[in-house]
Structures are given as structure tokens and as C-alpha cells.
């Protein structure tokens, strides 16, 4: 049986040489793991549009998508997540935790100190080298 493919996007939101990291909320798949925020791409959306919408819905803030970082996939029990990660910056609002339990702004060199969701780890590798 083939796994369900779940296309998602994530934002490495940068501000003052720091990157925003969010911890998945209680009762969610991968509860307690850290991730770059984002979510599923809906029918008819570009990855950039999906990312802007997800950050608005999950954090009440507006971002600009700046550049592509990478694409990674990981086979979870619930399906294969194929994730495109982008660098982004905050345009307006502040990042409120509406669905996550914690957040941190970290220097790229400190990203590896967190327990990341498996699909995020490749982007962490790339971003931590900057």
C-alpha cells in the first residue's frame, strides 16, 4: 500500500539575524517536536500563498516569502510529508502562539540544540551553516 503524500510548506522566519522556531502543540502529531511553522498547501494555492495563509492562521502575523531553502520528505505513520522550506520575514503583526506550545528565536548556529521534527532536519542543516 502506498503512503498518502502530504504537500506542505514551512517558513524560516528571520529577524535580527535570528530564526523563529515553533514547538508543536499538545495532542498534535509529533507533539513537542520543533518545526519551522507552516502547513498544508490547499488546492489552487502556490507554496508561497499557502505559507502566507498558514502563518496568518496559526500566528496572526503577515510574512513576505523571500527565497527557497530546500525540499525534503519523510515517511511518517500518517503519510509521507513532502515539505518545501522558504526563508521569510515578518511584515506586520507579531507571532502569537495560537496552535503551538512554545517558540524561540535562535541564531542559526544554535538551531541544532532543539529536537526537530524529522522532515525539518535537512532545512536545519542548511540554515545552521549560514
Amino acid at each position: 500500500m502506498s503512503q498518502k503524500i502530504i504537500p506542505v510548506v514551512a517558513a524560516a522566519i528571520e529577524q535580527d539575524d535570528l530564526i523563529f522556531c515553533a514547538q508543536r502543540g499538545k495532542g498534535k502529531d509529533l507533539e513537542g517536536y520543533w518545526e519551522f511553522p507552516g502547513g498544508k498547501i490547499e488546492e489552487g494555492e502556490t507554496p508561497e500563498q499557502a505559507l502566507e495563509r498558514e502563518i496568518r492562521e496559526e500566528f496572526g502575523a503577515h510574512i513576505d516569502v523571500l527565497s527557497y531553502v530546500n525540499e525534503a520528505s519523510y515517511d511518517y505513520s500518517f503519510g509521507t510529508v513532502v515539505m518545501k522550506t522558504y526563508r521569510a520575514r515578518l511584515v506586520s503583526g507579531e507571532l502569537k502562539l495560537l496552535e503551538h506550545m512554545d517558540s524561540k528565536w535562535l541564531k542559526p548556529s544554535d538551531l541544532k540544540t532543539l529536537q526537530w521534527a524529522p522532515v525539518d532536519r535537512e532545512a536545519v542543516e542548511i540554515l545552521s551553516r549560514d
Side-chain angles (χ1 to χ4, degrees):
M1 183 178 104
S2 68
Q3 285 265 51
K4 180 169 130 186
I5 304 290
I6 306 163
V8 301
V9 285
I13 301 169
E14 299 170 322
Q15 185 171 302
D16 301 325
D17 298 321
L18 301 174
I19 297 176
F20 183 76
C21 312
Q23 189 176 32
R24 292 184 63 81
K26 293 192 184 311
K28 300 232 180 239
D29 285 319
L30 302 168
E31 174 184 327
Y33 278 90
W34 290 83
E35 67 180 0
F36 295 118
K40 293 186 183 107
I41 302 172
E42 311 244 321
E43 191 71 38
E45 279 182 324
T46 66
E48 294 85 353
Q49 289 168 332
L51 206 44
E52 290 168 5
R53 175 185 52 75
E54 285 286 347
I55 300 303
R56 215 172 36 247
E57 290 174 2
E58 289 186 15
F59 296 92
H62 295 273
I63 60 164
D64 261 350
V65 177
L66 302 175
S67 62
Y68 177 78
V69 175
N70 76 316
E71 178 174 299
S73 63
Y74 191 84
D75 296 328
Y76 293 101
S77 59
F78 53 84
T80 299
V81 171
V82 178
M83 185 171 85
K84 288 177 170 28
T85 302
Y86 294 84
R87 291 176 188 272
R89 69 178 177 91
L90 204 51
V91 177
S92 66
E94 57 187 64
L95 295 161
K96 298 187 275 295
L97 299 183
L98 305 176
E99 296 184 19
H100 291 76
M101 60 176 148
D102 199 4
S103 67
K104 295 180 184 206
W105 287 93
L106 294 179
K107 293 186 292 200
S109 59
D110 291 336
L111 290 175
K112 292 181 184 178
T113 63
L114 301 178
Q115 184 181 18
W116 289 90
V119 78
D120 287 89
R121 291 176 188 157
E122 194 177 307
V124 168
E125 278 295 321
I126 293 166
L127 292 163
S128 66
R129 291 195 294 256
D130 288 356

